[in-house]
């Protein structure tokens, strides 16, 4: 099936981290784990160490180039399909430094999608989506802003 509109963008902005960042992550994780052990919570200490290791591995990997497509049946982000029945509304945010598409879905694990509109005209995206979903003002989720602030 041919997409009505398709473009590519990176999953997130990659920030190169120096050795100091990884040292700080390790010191914070070890401190938290030792505090948990002192407070007789060994399981939480293991979770802290595991989370820090995962965080370090994720931070080291550059983002992948993802293909976004708008189809007659829904929106496709990489390999994940979001049928129109799962999409509540959308908003094309042009006030940010880089325009982005915000989509509110019924999905439990990914209720809000924030998709960069890197090299596609925001007005074209708006026109195509208006045929399938309601345009409603949406704000970028606080969790997404926090993740960007932390550099992930």
């Amino acid at each position: 099936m041919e997409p009505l509109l398709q473009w590519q963008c990176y999953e997130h902005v990659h920030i190169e981290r120096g050795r100091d960042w990884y040292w700080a992550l390790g010191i914070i994780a070890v401190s938290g784990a030792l505090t948990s052990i002192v407070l007789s919570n060994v399981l939480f200490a293991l979770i802290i160490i595991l989370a820090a290791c995962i965080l370090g591995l994720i931070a080291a990997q550059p983002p992948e180039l993802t293909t976004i497509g708008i189809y007659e049946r829904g929106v496709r982000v990489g390999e994940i399909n979001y049928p129109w029945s799962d999409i509540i509304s959308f908003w094309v945010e042009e006030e940010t430094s880089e325009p982005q598409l915000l989509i509110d879905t019924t999905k439990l694990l990914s209720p809000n999608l924030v998709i960069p509109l890197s090299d596609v005209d925001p007005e074209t995206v708006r026109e195509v989506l208006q045929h399938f979903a309601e345009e409603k003002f949406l704000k970028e989720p606080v969790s997404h802003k926090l993740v960007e602030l932390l550099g992930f």
Side-chain angles (χ1 to χ4, degrees):
M1 178 179 276
E2 284 294 312
L4 301 172
L5 188 62
Q6 187 172 1
W7 68 95
Q8 290 188 325
C9 62
Y10 286 100
E11 294 174 332
H12 57 86
V13 177
H14 183 65
I15 298 171
E16 206 55 52
R17 290 169 181 78
R19 291 177 14 178
D20 292 345
W21 187 88
Y22 292 101
W23 273 105
L25 177 65
I27 290 169
I28 291 169
V30 169
S31 299
L34 288 175
T35 303
S36 283
I37 291 171
V38 168
L39 297 174
S40 302
N41 198 341
V42 177
L43 182 60
F44 188 56
L46 290 174
I47 291 172
I48 290 173
I49 296 297
L50 182 64
C53 291
I54 292 171
L55 196 61
L57 289 173
I58 290 172
Q61 294 180 351
E64 293 183 21
L65 193 60
T66 303
T67 302
I68 313 296
I70 300 174
Y71 295 84
E72 291 282 338
R73 294 184 177 180
V75 177
R76 184 177 180 120
V77 180
E79 298 297 318
I80 303 171
N81 291 313
Y82 296 92
W84 295 117
S85 59
D86 289 345
I87 295 176
I88 300 167
S89 61
F90 76 94
W91 181 255
V92 177
E93 180 63 63
E94 298 181 69
E95 301 298 320
T96 56
S97 59
E98 181 178 320
Q100 53 192 8
L101 172 62
L102 306 171
I103 299 177
D104 189 18
T105 70
T106 59
K107 299 277 187 179
L108 184 63
L109 295 178
S110 59
N112 301 301
L113 304 176
V114 180
I115 303 169
L117 299 176
S118 53
D119 59 352
V120 66
D121 180 36
E123 196 57 41
T124 306
V125 174
R126 180 180 286 116
E127 288 173 9
V128 171
L129 286 174
Q130 283 177 336
H131 296 295
F132 302 103
E134 176 188 1
E135 184 177 13
K136 181 177 159 188
F137 177 73
L138 299 171
K139 286 182 161 183
E140 186 177 0
V142 175
S143 59
H144 191 265
K145 287 182 180 180
L146 181 64
V147 167
E148 279 185 347
L149 181 68
L150 293 174
F152 297 103

